[in-house]
C-alpha cells in the first residue's frame, strides 16, 4: 500500500491556520474511530440503498474500460471497488483518504476478494486539498461522502479540477442539504431517532451526532454547482437521489 504523509497547505493568518488544522485533525480522528464498523453502519442506516447511490455516482463519473481514475476520500473503498470493476485490468484506481485506519480496512477488503480486476487498486494516505498527483492525470474522479467533511471545499474542488483531464468528470455523492423544510426536518428526525441511537450501541453516539451539524453546514445543490464553476469547471449539475436525502454533483472540466 502506498502511503503519503498527511499534510496541510499554508493558510493566511496564524489563528485561522491553527483552527483549520485542529478541525481537520478532529475530523481525521473521528473517521479513524468509526472505521471498524463504518460499512456495517452504512448498510443499517440506508437499508442497503447506499450501494445503489454509489453505483449511480460511478456511472456519472464516466469511467470506462482502461481509465485511470481516483476515488477521493475513499474511506473503506466501496466506490473504489466499483470503479475497479468498471475500468478492468487495463485501468488503474487510486483510493485516497486522510484516515490510515480507513485505508487499512480498504486494503484488508482488497486482500480478501478474488476478482482479478482488484489488482488495479492502490491506496494512498493524503490530503484532499493538496493532492500528490500531476496536472491532467485522471480520466474520472469520484468522491463519496467526503466533500462535506473537507474544511476548504473550494480548494478541494480546485485540486479535483487540476488533476482531471480536460473534458473529464468528477462525480461527488453526499447528503443533500435540501431547501425544502419538510425534507430537512425528516432528515433530522432520521439522524436523531435512528442513526445516533444505533451508533450509540457501538459506543459512537458522539461521532454520529456530528453528522447532523455537518449537513447543516454543507452547501445546497445550487451552491455546489456555483462552487464547481468558481473552481474552474466548465459545467456542473447537481442531482437529487434517494428521495432528496442524497445528492450527486457532476462537474465537467
Amino acid at each position: 500500500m502506498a502511503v503519503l504523509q498527511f499534510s496541510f497547505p499554508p493558510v493566511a493568518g496564524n489563528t485561522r491556520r491553527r483552527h483549520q488544522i485542529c478541525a481537520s485533525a478532529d475530523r481525521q480522528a473521528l473517521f479513524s474511530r468509526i472505521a471498524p464498523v463504518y460499512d456495517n453502519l452504512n448498510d443499517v442506516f440506508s437499508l442497503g440503498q447506499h450501494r445503489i447511490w454509489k453505483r449511480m455516482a460511478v456511472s456519472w463519473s464516466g469511467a470506462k474500460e482502461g481509465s485511470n481514475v481516483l476515488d477521493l476520500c475513499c474511506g473503506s473503498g466501496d466506490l473504489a471497488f466499483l470503479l475497479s470493476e468498471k475500468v478492468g485490468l487495463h485501468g488503474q484506481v487510486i483510493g485516497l483518504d486522510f484516515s490510515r485506519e480507513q485505508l487499512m480496512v480498504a486494503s484488508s477488503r482488497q486482500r480478501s476478494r478474488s476478482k482479478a480486476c482488484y489488482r488495479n487498486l492502490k491506496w494512498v494516505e493524503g490530503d484532499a486539498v493538496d493532492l500528490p498527483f500531476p496536472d491532467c492525470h485522471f480520466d474520472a474522479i469520484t468522491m463519496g461522502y467526503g466533500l462535506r467533511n473537507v474544511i476548504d471545499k473550494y480548494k478541494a474542488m480546485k485540486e479535483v479540477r487540476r488533476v482531471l483531464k480536460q473534458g473529464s468528470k468528477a462525480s461527488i455523492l453526499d447528503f443533500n442539504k435540501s431547501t425544502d423544510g419538510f425534507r430537512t426536518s425528516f432528515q433530522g428526525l432520521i439522524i436523531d431517532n435512528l442513526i445516533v441511537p444505533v451508533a450509540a450501541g457501538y459506543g459512537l453516539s458522539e461521532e454520529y451526532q456530528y453528522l447532523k451539524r455537518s449537513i447543516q453546514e454543507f452547501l445546497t445543490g445550487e451552491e455546489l454547482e456555483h462552487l464547481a464553476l468558481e473552481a474552474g469547471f466548465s459545467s456542473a449539475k447537481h442531482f437529487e437521489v434517494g428521495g432528496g436525502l442524497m445528492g450527486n454533483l457532476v462537474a465537467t472540466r
Side-chain angles (χ1 to χ4, degrees):
M1 178 180 69
V3 176
L4 297 175
Q5 292 299 314
F6 188 72
S7 60
F8 293 92
V11 179
N14 289 337
T15 301
R16 183 182 169 206
R17 183 175 185 274
R18 283 196 299 270
H19 171 73
Q20 288 204 343
I21 289 176
C22 181
S24 296
D26 288 345
R27 296 183 187 196
Q28 184 181 15
L30 183 152
F31 282 94
S32 294
R33 289 195 299 274
I34 67 176
V37 296
Y38 184 69
D39 292 317
N40 289 339
L41 288 179
N42 281 344
D43 277 326
V44 171
F45 297 153
S46 71
L47 301 178
Q49 294 298 297
H50 72 100
R51 301 180 185 279
I52 297 173
W53 305 329
K54 288 170 181 175
R55 288 188 180 278
M56 293 172 68
V58 168
S59 179
W60 269 318
S61 76
K64 57 184 183 295
E65 183 76 24
S67 291
N68 177 33
V69 300
L70 171 66
D71 181 28
L72 188 55
C73 304
C74 67
S76 59
D78 275 0
L79 282 166
F81 286 112
L82 293 173
L83 286 166
S84 175
E85 295 169 9
K86 179 74 73 172
V87 305
L89 284 170
H90 299 294
Q92 184 175 43
V93 180
I94 294 178
L96 181 143
D97 202 276
F98 67 175
S99 168
R100 182 170 298 187
E101 284 74 12
Q102 290 277 11
L103 293 172
M104 290 173 64
V105 173
S107 181
S108 176
R109 293 176 72 192
Q110 180 185 13
R111 290 193 300 271
S112 69
R113 299 185 176 195
S114 58
K115 282 189 179 181
C117 65
Y118 294 152
R119 292 199 296 270
N120 65 18
L121 278 162
K122 294 182 180 178
W123 310 105
V124 173
E125 182 182 354
D127 190 342
V129 299
D130 188 17
L131 297 176
F133 310 111
D135 297 354
C136 305
H137 187 64
F138 294 105
D139 299 300
I141 294 177
T142 59
M143 186 188 306
Y145 303 99
L147 185 61
R148 175 173 41 86
N149 298 303
V150 176
I151 301 298
D152 194 336
K153 295 172 178 57
Y154 174 73
K155 189 163 187 180
M157 290 300 293
K158 289 280 286 186
E159 278 291 270
V160 169
R161 180 191 177 278
R162 179 183 67 79
V163 300
L164 264 179
K165 294 179 182 177
Q166 188 67 35
S168 296
K169 296 178 181 178
S171 179
I172 300 172
L173 172 68
D174 216 310
F175 283 90
N176 180 41
K177 181 180 179 180
S178 179
T179 56
D180 180 271
F182 174 76
R183 285 181 180 172
T184 300
S185 297
F186 181 64
Q187 197 174 55
L189 284 171
I190 291 175
I191 294 171
D192 291 339
N193 297 290
L194 172 64
I195 292 178
V196 172
V198 171
Y202 292 84
L204 296 170
S205 60
E206 291 185 10
E207 285 78 0
Y208 276 87
Q209 284 170 355
Y210 156 79
L211 177 60
K212 186 175 182 179
R213 185 176 74 254
S214 73
I215 297 172
Q216 292 171 342
E217 295 172 353
F218 196 35
L219 304 177
T220 66
E222 184 176 356
E223 289 170 338
L224 286 168
E225 291 174 351
H226 288 313
L227 176 68
L229 295 175
E230 289 173 3
F233 286 88
S234 63
S235 65
K237 178 66 176 176
H238 185 267
F239 301 92
E240 292 188 347
V241 296
L245 296 177
M246 305 294 154
N248 201 105
L249 176 69
V250 181
T252 304
R253 176 170 179 181

